[in-house]
């Protein structure tokens, strides 16, 4: 993640990010068949704070892309669409409580706090399954997903991956972390 507290991109950074997002959008039309890029770009241009968030998603390897449009709210929905879990977010526990419960070999961060700083929400199980309908993701990695409070209260956390051409949702202790596990997020614009 960037080291600055300023949550705004320069005009050059904005232009570069918009070009990257447009290229990805056009290369993956199956993810958003009924969405027009010009409308997405117009919405992004009047929401510079959302561009900053998308840049954070990009910097950490998430490859954000539009996956849906919410007609009720008029918002475009972006998910991390990198083939494998985002490289810049790997080797993290699920949340701060999980991180602090580790007596040794603590990772540097946790998924919930990183997502909050970035301004994104962890994908829910339903969102993760929807993402997997758009392609084949996490064939070699796995991704933490939002864990319901009842599970988290008992010490667990959920993650998903794709193996054997099937999407699996599993559990681990929230304090666990692996070099091949990160988290995927969503953003509404």
């Amino acid at each position: 993640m960037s080291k600055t507290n300023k949550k705004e991109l320069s005009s050059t950074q904005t232009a570069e990010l918009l070009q990257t997002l447009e290229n990805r959008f056009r290369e993956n039309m199956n993810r958003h068949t009924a969405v027009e890029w010009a409308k997405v770009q117009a919405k992004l241009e009047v929401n510079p704070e959302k561009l900053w968030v998308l840049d954070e998603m990009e910097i950490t390897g998430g490859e954000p892309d539009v996956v849906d449009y919410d007609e009720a709210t008029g918002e475009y929905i972006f998910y991390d669409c990198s083939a494998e879990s985002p490289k810049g977010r790997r080797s993290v526990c699920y949340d701060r409580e999980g991180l602090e419960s580790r007596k040794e070999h603590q990772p540097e961060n946790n998924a919930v706090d990183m997502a909050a700083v970035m301004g994104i929400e962890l994908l829910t199980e339903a969102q993760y399954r929807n993402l997997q309908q758009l392609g084949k993701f996490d064939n070699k990695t796995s991704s933490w997903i939002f864990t319901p409070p009842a599970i988290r209260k008992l010490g667990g956390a959920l993650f998903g991956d794709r193996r054997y051409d099937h999407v699996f949702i599993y559990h681990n202790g929230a304090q666990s972390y692996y070099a091949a596990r990160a988290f995927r997020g969503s953003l509404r614009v």
Side-chain angles (χ1 to χ4, degrees):
M1 292 185 302
S2 67
K3 304 292 183 209
T4 179
N5 289 331
K6 186 177 173 188
K7 294 187 176 188
E8 187 176 314
L9 302 177
S10 70
S11 58
T12 301
Q13 290 171 311
T14 296
E16 289 173 0
L17 178 61
L18 285 171
Q19 188 62 61
T20 297
L21 294 171
E22 180 179 4
N23 291 344
R24 184 174 298 128
F25 181 92
R26 296 199 184 288
E27 291 168 5
N28 297 282
M29 291 304 293
N30 64 302
R31 296 178 185 161
H32 36 252
T33 54
V35 177
E36 296 176 38
W37 173 253
K39 292 180 179 180
V40 174
Q41 183 170 338
K43 191 91 174 227
L44 289 170
E45 288 174 343
V46 297
N47 288 287
E49 71 285 354
K50 301 289 185 169
L51 278 169
W52 181 87
V53 174
L54 287 166
D55 194 53
E56 290 294 296
M57 293 171 80
E58 188 70 30
I59 288 168
T60 57
E63 299 179 18
D65 197 9
V66 178
V67 298
D68 205 357
Y69 177 72
D70 186 334
E71 290 186 26
T73 64
E75 295 172 310
Y76 294 98
I77 302 167
F78 286 79
Y79 286 176
D80 286 306
C81 292
S82 55
E84 300 299 338
S85 64
K87 289 183 181 179
R89 305 182 211 159
R90 293 186 187 169
S91 297
V92 295
C93 294
Y94 177 74
D95 61 8
R96 170 121 343 249
E97 183 182 347
L99 177 73
E100 291 174 352
S101 72
R102 291 193 68 88
K103 301 299 182 210
E104 54 186 40
H105 308 296
Q106 283 189 343
E108 291 183 27
N109 215 330
N110 69 83
V112 171
D113 287 352
M114 284 181 75
V117 168
M118 292 172 68
I120 62 177
E121 300 285 331
L122 266 65
L123 294 186
T124 64
E125 180 178 351
Q127 289 170 326
Y128 188 80
R129 290 186 183 281
N130 287 341
L131 173 67
Q132 291 284 4
Q133 297 297 311
L134 302 174
K136 295 182 178 184
F137 301 93
D138 290 337
N139 285 301
K140 298 175 185 171
T141 57
S142 61
S143 295
W144 288 116
I145 60 175
F146 173 78
T147 301
I151 294 172
R152 185 61 199 95
K153 183 178 178 182
L154 297 172
L158 301 179
F159 68 94
D161 65 22
R162 178 186 283 272
R163 301 292 190 271
Y164 310 106
D165 205 27
H166 186 83
V167 177
F168 291 93
I169 302 297
Y170 306 96
H171 59 87
N172 258 142
Q175 76 284 1
S176 64
Y177 69 98
Y178 300 92
R181 182 172 307 149
F183 65 92
R184 293 179 181 273
S186 67
L187 176 69
R188 291 175 160 265
V189 179

